[in-house]
Amino acid sequence: DIQMTQSPSSLSASVGDRVTITCRASQGISNYLAWYQQKPGKVPKLLIYAASTLQSGVPSRFSGSGSGTDFTLTISSLQPEDVATYYCQKYNSAPCSFGQGTKLEIK
Amino acid sequence: EVQLVESGGGLVQPGGSLRLSCAASGFTFSSYWMSWVRQAPGKGLEWVANIKQDGSEKYYVDSVKGRFTISRDNAKNSLYLQMNSLRAEDTAVYYCARDVWGSGSYWDYWGQGTLVTVSS
């Protein structure tokens, strides 16, 4: 099975900072990659699919890139409401595995 | 408005069984693959199983194969997860989620989740 590895596991940044989270697949998955945001005590929310397509309603400060094995999620200007854990997920085939998550905090 | 409402969680002893249900509304349930995704307390997300629109294809994560069974009733707009031989490591919040694609998919709508605790 394909393994998904995120880095870093946790991250602290200041409001207004540009933040980048990386996700690496153990084998190529083309662009079958989604990103989710999970705020404390809340349900996961789909942010990005097909590696770079923004889900409807998601702020434009979020963006995704990558293909094959290496992917990134970028927040162009960090806002207080972005405090959350972020997960990448591959979906080229079952099992649809997740990365271990990146916990983002405000400095 | 798409709504997914899970029920059936609770406390069960190791080796016991539990059946989760998910009531769907606000969309044509029979047109979508559906999944169960779980999250152990303080841990990450783990896809558990999914099922095709007509129930003819089902997929499971290795750790639940032979113990869990996913099913659906399109007439009742409902998704189910029968969990047998439960183990402590099955303790988690179980989410019902709508697949956007087929057997390999991401999820655009999630329920609020139901907590399953396996403990003696």
Side-chain angles (χ1 to χ4, degrees), chain A residues 58-103:
Chain A
V58 173
S60 58
R61 64 180 180 275
F62 291 91
S63 65
S65 65
S67 183
T69 60
D70 294 313
F71 303 87
T72 59
L73 172 70
T74 300
I75 307 173
S76 60
S77 178
L78 185 65
Q79 300 301 304
E81 60 266 31
D82 299 334
V83 168
T85 299
Y86 293 84
Y87 295 93
C88 64
Q89 178 238 333
K90 70 93 175 172
Y91 60 93
N92 60 313
S93 64
C96 305
S97 51
F98 292 88
Q100 80 277 18
T102 296
K103 187 174 183 179

Side-chain angles (χ1 to χ4, degrees), chain B:
Chain B
E1 178 193 7
V2 172
Q3 282 198 313
L4 298 168
V5 180
E6 302 93 338
S7 60
L11 175 63
V12 60
Q13 292 188 340
S17 298
L18 213 54
R19 188 194 196 208
L20 305 184
S21 299
C22 171
S25 61
F27 66 103
T28 305
F29 180 72
S30 59
S31 296
Y32 288 85
W33 282 72
M34 295 293 296
S35 283
W36 289 98
V37 179
R38 68 183 178 183
Q39 187 169 35
K43 302 297 184 182
L45 299 165
E46 180 183 42
W47 168 80
V48 174
N50 66 354
I51 184 169
K52 194 177 181 179
Q53 290 93 330
D54 61 359
S56 62
E57 292 183 38
K58 304 175 185 181
Y59 298 89
Y60 300 91
V61 67
D62 284 349
S63 59
V64 309
K65 283 179 182 175
R67 301 189 299 123
F68 289 13
T69 302
I70 189 171
S71 63
R72 64 192 295 161
D73 185 335
N74 288 340
K76 294 183 178 179
N77 289 340
S78 292
L79 177 72
Y80 306 102
L81 185 67
Q82 178 66 44
M83 304 186 295
N84 299 330
S85 302
L86 282 160
R87 306 167 180 167
E89 54 264 35
D90 296 317
T91 294
V93 173
Y94 285 73
Y95 296 103
C96 165
R98 188 178 82 167
D99 291 32
V100 177
W101 281 70
S103 59
S105 185
Y106 60 96
W107 305 281
D108 57 353
Y109 287 96
W110 299 61
Q112 289 300 307
T114 187
L115 176 62
V116 172
T117 303
V118 184
S119 175
S120 55

Side-chain angles (χ1 to χ4, degrees), chain A residues 11-106:
Chain A
L11 175 59
S12 182
S14 300
V15 173
D17 281 356
R18 182 181 183 87
V19 171
T20 298
I21 298 169
T22 298
C23 178
R24 174 164 289 176
S26 60
Q27 299 175 38
I29 58 170
S30 185
N31 68 335
Y32 293 98
L33 193 283
W35 289 97
Y36 298 86
Q37 175 193 64
Q38 187 176 32
K39 296 183 178 181
K42 300 297 185 182
V43 175
K45 174 186 175 182
L46 176 66
L47 295 178
I48 287 168
Y49 60 93
S52 61
T53 302
L54 210 60
Q55 173 71 348
S56 175
V58 173
S60 58
R61 64 180 180 275
F62 291 91
S63 65
S65 65
S67 183
T69 60
D70 294 313
F71 303 87
T72 59
L73 172 70
T74 300
I75 307 173
S76 60
S77 178
L78 185 65
Q79 300 301 304
E81 60 266 31
D82 299 334
V83 168
T85 299
Y86 293 84
Y87 295 93
C88 64
Q89 178 238 333
K90 70 93 175 172
Y91 60 93
N92 60 313
S93 64
C96 305
S97 51
F98 292 88
Q100 80 277 18
T102 296
K103 187 174 183 179
L104 176 58
E105 298 176 330
I106 299 291

